[in-house]
Amino acid sequence: MKKNQEITMQYTNVEVSPPSAKEAEKAVLGACLVEIDAIEKVIDRLTPDSFYYPIHKVIYSKIVELYNSSVPIDLITVYEGLKTDETFITQGNIAYLTSLTSHVASAFYIQKHALIIKEKEIRRNVIYNCYELINNAYDESYDIENLIKDFSLKSDEISGRITANDVSTIGEVVANSLTRFHENQDLIKQGGLTGITTGSFALDKKLGRYQPGNLIIVAARPGMGKTAFALNTVTAAAMEGTNCAFVSLEMKPEELVNRMFLRETDKFRSDILKNTEAYDEEIMELNRVAGTIEKLPVTFIKNRSINITSLKSKCRKLRKKGKLDLLVIDYLQLMNEDKKNNREQEIAFISRELKMLAQELEIPIITLSQLNRSLEARADKRPLLSDLRESGAIEQDADIVILLNRPIKYGLKELENDEGKIISSEGIIVCDIAKQRNGEVGDILLRHNKTVTKIWDYSINV
């Protein structure tokens, strides 16, 4: 108990003033009082709560009020609006207001001063939120899931305040786009490609690879090869040096690694990974493959009860450590969040949070998803976007939707390839790009082995 008391004292009775920037606050207020357009440069960035000192809060609040009412801002109008305010009267009155104008010779540096004030506000908020979280953590009656959720929400809220400017001119955006274009062209000329490989040359060409900020939905009915498709991408990407994280809510990491073993070789029987005695040469081959796989930059997140809040926290930590360039989730409908909402609202919330996470971390996120049974009533058994299970929001949030189908599973022994020829559907996965926000849609044919653990391009004979 004594140790806990010491920790409480250490964190909650800090005898120092919270972070603040008195001179910067004075400079901003002074600039607003002497130059007509000064307030326009900071009003989107600073609120009254951004100011630490009470008299500065009330002065800035009055300045904002006058600006929103289209009333000129100067010493007289601000004083007239504050002359009955108790805080203003007791902490300085007109003499203090007048003195502020001597703290700035020009409004030229007002934005820089505003950033200093904003930084101090964020630091104060971090401190206040940490105090609250510490107190809740000591309260044994406070639900642990709510504590974790509070921590994540407060982090999100604070992170959102750090952005210096949410507004960009078209000139700035054009310049950024041209810079990215020329960087991509230089990379292509050197024989490289931007983005993260899908594991298929044909898909890479059709999609332009997976790009940062993309939310990719890979959907299918059970047994169609969703997990194999995802592992194919992860293994291929990891072999190029991409740091991958795989969230499996259905299979153990050991089961996934066994599938990766089978993907890399056909020189041992799949049965030896279960209860079949292996030959000496099979053991040697397994050890060889394992030696390759164990060096790949792949992380497994294996908490089967993980929710979006805890997932975001884990991903931020991995990204900060430089260990996350691609996230794969297997699969969406196994995730849970708020039990108060119905399932459709819950999935919609998770889908939207994943899209925002992809943009925040600037990584592609691949999420596997189930399709409903509607396609089984169709003659061609072809999946459609409307078959996405439990929420139309999935389609709306996704940048790319890929629908997988194996016609042979439905007894359809033939299909038409890209050249219009009728071919056997045995060993074929139809990869339907049903949505691509910035590109073409259409089918890509892929091949798979008998155990559906290895997937490759239809044009390549293995």
Side-chain angles (χ1 to χ4, degrees):
M1 188 65 182
K2 182 179 179 182
K3 185 177 180 181
N4 286 344
Q5 289 173 345
E6 289 174 353
I7 293 173
T8 304
M9 290 292 292
Q10 180 182 352
Y11 285 100
T12 59
N13 291 336
V14 180
E15 295 182 358
V16 293
S17 298
S20 62
K22 191 170 188 176
E23 296 306 312
E25 291 185 13
K26 287 181 177 181
V28 167
L29 295 175
C32 290
L33 291 171
V34 300
E35 295 202 16
I36 295 174
D37 61 348
I39 183 62
E40 294 180 355
K41 298 177 181 178
V42 298
I43 194 167
D44 289 336
R45 187 169 296 165
L46 300 179
T47 69
D49 285 336
S50 301
F51 292 79
Y52 175 70
Y53 297 91
I55 190 169
H56 294 168
K57 285 180 185 287
V58 298
I59 293 172
Y60 185 74
S61 182
K62 180 54 62 176
I63 289 172
V64 171
E65 181 185 326
L66 293 172
Y67 175 79
N68 290 333
S69 302
S70 300
V71 175
I73 300 167
D74 56 29
L75 277 169
I76 296 173
T77 55
V78 173
Y79 172 68
E80 286 296 321
L82 291 176
K83 63 183 180 181
T84 59
D85 184 277
E86 185 176 350
T87 300
F88 178 71
I89 294 170
T90 58
Q91 295 192 19
N93 213 315
I94 185 64
Y96 189 81
L97 189 66
T98 303
S99 71
L100 292 174
T101 60
S102 65
H103 283 267
V104 59
S106 168
F108 182 77
Y109 295 109
I110 189 171
Q111 289 177 311
K112 183 174 289 187
H113 294 146
L115 283 176
I116 295 172
I117 295 170
K118 193 66 180 178
E119 179 200 328
K120 301 302 182 184
E121 179 194 8
I122 292 170
R123 290 181 182 277
R124 291 196 300 273
N125 285 329
V126 170
I127 293 168
Y128 298 151
N129 286 332
C130 285
Y131 284 170
E132 183 180 349
L133 287 167
I134 289 170
N135 287 331
N136 288 339
Y138 275 114
D139 184 355
E140 295 289 346
S141 66
Y142 201 85
D143 184 72
I144 188 64
E145 289 294 330
N146 288 334
L147 181 65
I148 295 170
K149 184 178 290 188
D150 286 348
F151 178 83
S152 180
L153 290 174
K154 289 181 187 299
S155 297
D156 287 347
E157 183 182 358
I158 292 169
S159 297
R161 294 173 182 166
I162 296 175
T163 304
N165 196 348
D166 294 330
V167 179
S168 299
T169 66
I170 190 169
E172 292 170 337
V173 176
V174 168
N176 290 339
S177 295
L178 284 176
T179 298
R180 180 170 294 181
F181 169 77
H182 289 299
E183 287 175 350
N184 290 350
Q185 288 298 304
D186 290 341
L187 188 61
I188 291 169
K189 288 176 183 177
Q190 296 169 14
L193 292 171
T194 63
I196 294 173
T197 184
T198 64
S200 156
F201 177 79
L203 272 175
D204 281 353
K205 186 176 179 181
K206 188 87 168 180
L207 298 175
R209 292 186 154 208
Y210 297 139
Q211 298 296 325
N214 281 175
L215 175 63
I216 302 102
I217 302 295
V218 178
R221 290 291 298 153
M224 292 297 164
K226 293 190 299 297
T227 302
F229 182 91
L231 284 174
N232 195 65
T233 295
V234 166
T235 306
M239 286 182 173
E240 290 187 354
T242 300
N243 293 288
C244 306
F246 199 108
V247 182
S248 179
L249 303 172
E250 188 173 41
M251 300 176 67
K252 295 179 179 179
E254 291 78 8
E255 295 175 295
L256 297 172
V257 166
N258 283 347
R259 287 193 172 207
M260 294 172 76
F261 290 161
L262 294 170
R263 177 190 184 275
E264 291 307 302
T265 185
D266 57 2
K267 294 183 179 179
F268 61 76
R269 295 163 294 161
S270 61
D271 290 348
I272 70 167
L273 298 172
K274 299 176 183 177
N275 289 313
T276 299
E277 185 176 358
Y279 302 125
D280 290 344
E281 56 268 26
E282 289 179 319
I283 294 173
M284 291 177 62
E285 177 65 8
L286 178 61
N287 287 333
R288 183 193 69 79
V289 172
T292 300
I293 295 296
E294 70 178 355
K295 297 174 185 176
L296 296 179
V298 178
T299 301
F300 292 100
I301 299 175
K302 57 185 179 179
N303 186 344
R304 295 193 179 189
S305 62
I306 195 167
N307 57 29
I308 189 65
T309 303
S310 56
L311 176 62
K312 285 163 63 177
S313 177
K314 293 178 188 295
C315 289
R316 286 178 181 131
K317 291 176 183 177
L318 287 172
R319 184 64 170 164
K320 188 175 181 180
K321 293 177 181 177
K323 294 184 178 181
L324 180 60
D325 303 311
L326 172 69
L327 176 66
V328 178
I329 301 170
D330 184 10
Y331 58 90
L332 181 61
Q333 282 78 12
L334 289 178
M335 292 193 72
N336 294 295
E337 189 54 38
D338 189 353
K339 298 296 185 181
K340 295 179 181 178
N341 292 328
N342 62 43
R343 187 57 177 160
E344 184 172 342
Q345 291 173 327
E346 190 176 9
I347 292 295
F349 173 77
I350 294 170
S351 172
R352 185 60 186 157
E353 288 291 304
L354 289 173
K355 172 58 183 175
M356 293 172 67
L357 183 63
Q359 292 177 323
E360 176 194 335
L361 301 184
E362 296 184 330
I363 62 169
I365 295 180
I366 301 172
T367 304
L368 308 189
S369 178
Q370 292 279 26
L371 295 176
N372 61 40
R373 295 179 179 274
S374 299
L375 67 91
E376 295 176 1
R378 301 182 196 117
D380 61 1
K381 312 299 181 185
R382 186 180 179 86
L384 302 173
L385 282 172
S386 57
D387 298 329
L388 282 168
R389 187 172 167 184
E390 291 184 319
S391 179
I394 300 174
E395 176 188 348
Q396 178 180 328
D397 294 330
D399 297 284
I400 297 170
V401 178
I402 298 172
L403 306 177
L404 303 181
N405 191 28
R406 291 168 59 201
I408 195 70
K409 290 279 286 185
Y410 294 108
L412 302 175
K413 297 182 179 180
E414 295 180 332
L415 55 84
E416 187 176 318
N417 68 9
D418 295 342
E419 300 172 352
K421 295 180 181 179
I422 302 301
I423 61 172
S424 170
S425 64
E426 188 69 43
I428 298 294
I429 293 179
V430 179
C431 181
D432 177 11
I433 303 171
K435 177 186 177 182
Q436 185 177 185
R437 201 181 296 277
N438 299 308
E440 298 179 7
V441 297
D443 290 350
I444 296 291
L445 298 186
L446 303 175
R447 298 181 187 270
H448 66 81
N449 58 2
K450 289 183 179 180
T451 56
V452 196
T453 52
K454 184 174 184 178
I455 297 174
W456 65 96
D457 287 315
Y458 174 75
S459 59
I460 300 174
N461 291 315
V462 175

